[in-house]
């Protein structure tokens, strides 16, 4: 059995991404504007997983015009950027971030004291950090709707720097579930959260909740299929949706061109989400061999987020960093998710890059590459998981994910060779998005 085709995704994504539309429109005009010539000492081919040496990339109108062997001289009206000592790669993509906040010992209190305006300002700062780390496209998988939509729109209009954002807005949860925003509130202030707030307790609720996310301006749907680590609830693994509810969410989401991303740690909740037809499993910490085979059967993609698991396990060692109800869950996650990843690579599970930055610090996204390689994934495959694989997941592999003529000019560079030392991915020195240079450490 195969997963439901996500045929409307390309159209929905293209409409949502104003920057992509602008780049495509400019490419069709007679006057494409200034030309930039990049000399790449090494160029990572994200389709083949191989490295080419001494390449010239020509960019105009936000689009890659050509790639040539050797270094050609820049013309009088062309700008030359010398990356001959660097490795050049396509713009990187992270399929699991939360741009509106960042985990700290104060996070529990800040849930109740931060305003929407506070979160929007956080997003401006963290989006810039993410872009400067080389990540030009992200999925924000759950955040205050008006804040993340405003951030996405400001970036698309060129008002502030940041990655392209595919936003899930309000995550869907069951009452008391991992994404229920009333968790931790005193009894008298919990209210009666329902589909408008993302709380689902029936098939009818499921359909209404998806439609409310469409009304909010979402690009995809996020569900919390199991308990979670950082919610103020005891169980981090139990299933929290029925399979019928998940299927109703997926069916309704399909009508609106939405993919469905499922937060899931525990085995039973993972299997229900896969059988229910979700597009991606996020975290997947306790995934067993049967769940891995189900993922292959249904065409489900895994977004592992090893970085977040390692981060929370480390912080759980610090007295007072987490509330007592969270600390044991955080301590248990780190070692498990890395060993699960190792088994999944051997089993041939389809893996797309994701970090859960917002739990781990924003701008540290590239640390995930090293953790993936340590857990058994070949270096080239790890890089592909954040380039061509993620572009395909978003339905934009004809515009993003590789450095080819006709594609959007999202280009990054690092000192050193990541095929030999994945640690160099944590030290990005050049970032171009839509043909605009946002970072060039040599200048």
């Amino acid at each position: 059995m195969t997963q439901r085709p996500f045929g409307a995704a390309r159209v929905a994504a293209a409409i949502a991404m104003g920057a992509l539309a602008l780049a495509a429109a400019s490419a069709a005009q007679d006057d494409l504007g200034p030309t930039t010539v990049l000399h790449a000492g090494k160029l990572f081919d994200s389709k083949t997983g191989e490295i080419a040496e001494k390449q010239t990339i020509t960019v105009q109108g936000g689009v890659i015009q050509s790639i040539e062997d050797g270094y050609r001289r820049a013309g009088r009206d062309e700008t030359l950027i010398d990356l001959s000592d660097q490795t050049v790669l396509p713009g990187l993509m992270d399929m699991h971030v939360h741009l509106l906040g960042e985990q700290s010992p104060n996070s529990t209190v800040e849930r109740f004291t931060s305003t929407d305006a506070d979160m929007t300002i956080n997003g401006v700062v963290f989006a810039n950090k993410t872009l400067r780390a080389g990540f030009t496209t992200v999925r924000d998988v759950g955040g205050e709707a008006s804040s993340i939509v405003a951030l996405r729109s400001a970036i698309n209009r060129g008002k502030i720097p940041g990655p392209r954002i595919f936003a899930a807005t309000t995550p869907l949860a069951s009452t008391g579930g991992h994404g229920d925003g009333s968790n931790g509130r005193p009894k008298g202030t919990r209210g009666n959260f329902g589909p408008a707030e993302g709380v689902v307790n029936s098939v009818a609720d499921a359909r209404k909740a998806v439609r409310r996310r469409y009304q909010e301006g979402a690009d995809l749907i996020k569900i919390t299929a199991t308990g979670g680590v950082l919610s103020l609830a005891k169980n981090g693994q139990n299933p929290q949706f029925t399979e019928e509810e998940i299927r109703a969410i997926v069916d309704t989401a399909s009508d609106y061109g939405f993919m469905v991303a499922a937060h899931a740690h525990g085995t039973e909740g993972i299997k229900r989400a896969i059988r229910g037809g979700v597009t991606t499993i996020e975290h997947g910490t306790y995934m067993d061999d049967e769940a891995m085979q189900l993922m292959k059967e249904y065409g489900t993609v895994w977004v592992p987020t090893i970085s977040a698991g390692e981060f929370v396990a480390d912080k759980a060692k610090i007295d007072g960093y987490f509330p007592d109800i969270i600390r044991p869950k955080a301590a248990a996650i780190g070692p498990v998710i890395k060993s699960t990843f190792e088994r999944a690579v051997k089993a041939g599970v389809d893996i797309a890059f994701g970090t859960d930055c917002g739990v781990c610090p924003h701008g540290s996204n590239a640390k995930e590459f090293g953790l993936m390689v340590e857990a058994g994934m070949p270096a080239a495959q790890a890089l592909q998981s954040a380039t061509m694989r993620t572009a395909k997941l978003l339905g934009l592999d004809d515009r993003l994910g590789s450095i080819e003529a006709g594609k959007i000019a999202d280009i990054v560079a690092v000192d050193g060779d990541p095929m030999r030392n994945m640690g160099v991915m944590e030290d990005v020195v050049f970032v171009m998005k839509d043909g605009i240079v946002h970072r060039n450490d040599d200048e």
Side-chain angles (χ1 to χ4, degrees):
M1 184 176 182
T2 57
Q3 183 190 38
R4 177 189 306 278
F6 188 49
R10 190 182 303 274
V11 175
I15 292 172
M17 296 297 100
L20 293 182
L22 287 171
S26 65
Q29 296 173 355
D30 292 334
D31 182 8
L32 297 177
T35 299
T36 302
V37 175
L38 296 90
H39 288 173
K42 295 178 183 289
L43 178 62
F44 178 69
D45 185 334
S46 58
K47 285 190 166 181
T48 65
E50 297 177 352
I51 295 278
E53 297 194 359
K54 294 184 178 180
Q55 302 287 297
T56 297
I57 306 165
T58 302
V59 173
Q60 191 178 26
V63 175
I64 299 167
Q65 301 297 325
S66 65
I67 297 99
E68 307 167 56
D69 291 332
Y71 297 145
R72 79 165 177 85
R73 181 178 297 176
R76 177 184 299 177
D77 297 324
E78 296 177 330
T79 299
L80 173 64
I81 296 176
D82 184 6
L83 301 172
S84 58
D85 292 330
Q86 282 78 39
T87 299
V88 176
L89 308 97
L92 305 171
M93 306 183 196
D94 190 331
M95 295 296 97
H96 193 121
V97 301
H98 299 279
L99 289 172
L100 302 183
E102 190 170 83
Q103 183 64 38
S104 77
N106 299 320
S107 293
T108 301
V109 173
E110 288 172 354
R111 283 183 55 210
F112 304 104
T113 60
S114 293
T115 66
D116 295 354
D118 291 329
M119 287 185 278
T120 305
I121 292 170
N122 286 342
V124 172
V125 174
F126 296 141
N128 188 41
K129 282 188 176 182
T130 302
L131 181 62
R132 288 182 60 80
F135 287 81
T136 56
T137 302
V138 300
R139 285 194 318 178
D140 187 287
V141 284
E144 199 285 319
S146 62
S147 296
I148 194 63
V149 168
L151 181 66
R152 181 190 67 194
S153 297
I155 292 169
N156 287 347
R157 292 169 183 164
K159 292 182 176 180
I160 58 172
R164 267 176 224 94
I165 298 173
F166 289 78
T169 67
T170 307
L172 307 190
S174 57
T175 295
H178 177 60
D180 181 354
S182 68
N183 280 352
R185 295 175 182 266
K187 183 178 179 181
T189 64
R190 286 179 195 154
N192 185 25
F193 280 20
E197 295 82 17
V199 175
V200 169
N201 290 297
S202 67
V203 166
D205 280 357
R207 298 189 189 283
K208 188 170 185 179
V210 170
R211 291 166 181 151
R212 286 300 295 257
R213 306 297 75 79
Y214 175 74
Q215 186 182 53
E216 287 178 346
D219 301 308
L220 68 146
I221 301 298
K222 162 77 173 296
I223 70 170
T224 54
T226 74
V229 175
L230 299 180
S231 50
L232 295 171
K234 184 176 181 180
N235 198 323
Q237 301 179 40
N238 64 309
Q240 297 187 339
F241 280 111
T242 67
E243 200 166 315
E244 290 73 23
E245 288 167 340
I246 295 172
R247 192 168 290 111
I249 290 168
V250 171
D251 287 346
T252 309
S254 179
D255 290 341
Y256 290 89
F258 291 146
M259 71 173 78
V260 178
H263 157 108
H265 286 291
T267 304
E268 175 59 26
I270 291 169
K271 293 174 185 177
R272 289 186 191 180
I274 296 167
R275 291 192 298 261
V278 303
T279 311
T280 61
I281 295 291
E282 315 293 307
H283 315 303
T285 307
Y286 294 96
M287 185 166 28
D288 63 11
D289 292 343
E290 181 186 357
M292 291 179 188
Q293 290 306 310
L294 275 174
M295 291 189 78
K296 294 169 69 174
E297 179 183 344
Y298 279 76
T300 315
V301 180
W302 184 33
V303 181
T305 69
I306 309 173
S307 296
E310 297 258 313
F311 179 85
V312 298
D314 183 58
K315 297 304 181 187
K317 300 172 186 175
I318 303 172
D319 289 341
Y321 191 93
F322 291 123
D324 289 344
I325 198 169
I326 290 175
R327 190 174 185 180
K329 295 186 292 178
I333 284 292
V336 178
I337 196 165
K338 204 166 183 181
S339 63
T340 301
F341 184 88
E342 185 175 5
R343 290 190 296 108
V345 170
K346 291 177 180 177
V349 172
D350 191 359
I351 296 172
F353 186 96
T355 63
D356 210 357
C357 278
V359 174
C360 47
H362 292 290
S364 70
N365 313 62
K367 183 179 180 181
E368 185 85 8
F369 288 116
L371 295 171
M372 295 167 89
V373 171
E374 286 175 15
M377 179 174 273
Q381 189 178 340
L383 296 173
Q384 288 172 317
S385 78
T387 50
M388 276 307 297
R389 184 63 201 88
T390 41
K392 183 179 178 182
L393 174 62
L394 294 172
L396 292 169
D397 48 311
D398 62 335
R399 302 298 288 151
L400 294 170
S402 61
I403 296 177
E404 295 181 84
K407 289 197 170 183
I408 300 297
D410 279 16
I411 300 169
V412 304
V414 297
D415 285 328
D417 185 350
M419 301 287 273
R420 297 183 179 182
N421 175 16
M422 194 56 75
V424 303
M425 294 301 295
E426 298 181 51
D427 189 21
V428 168
V429 297
F430 176 83
V431 178
M432 172 184 280
K433 173 176 170 261
D434 288 316
I436 298 170
V437 176
H438 290 273
R439 177 173 189 170
N440 187 357
D441 288 6
D442 285 342
E443 285 188 348

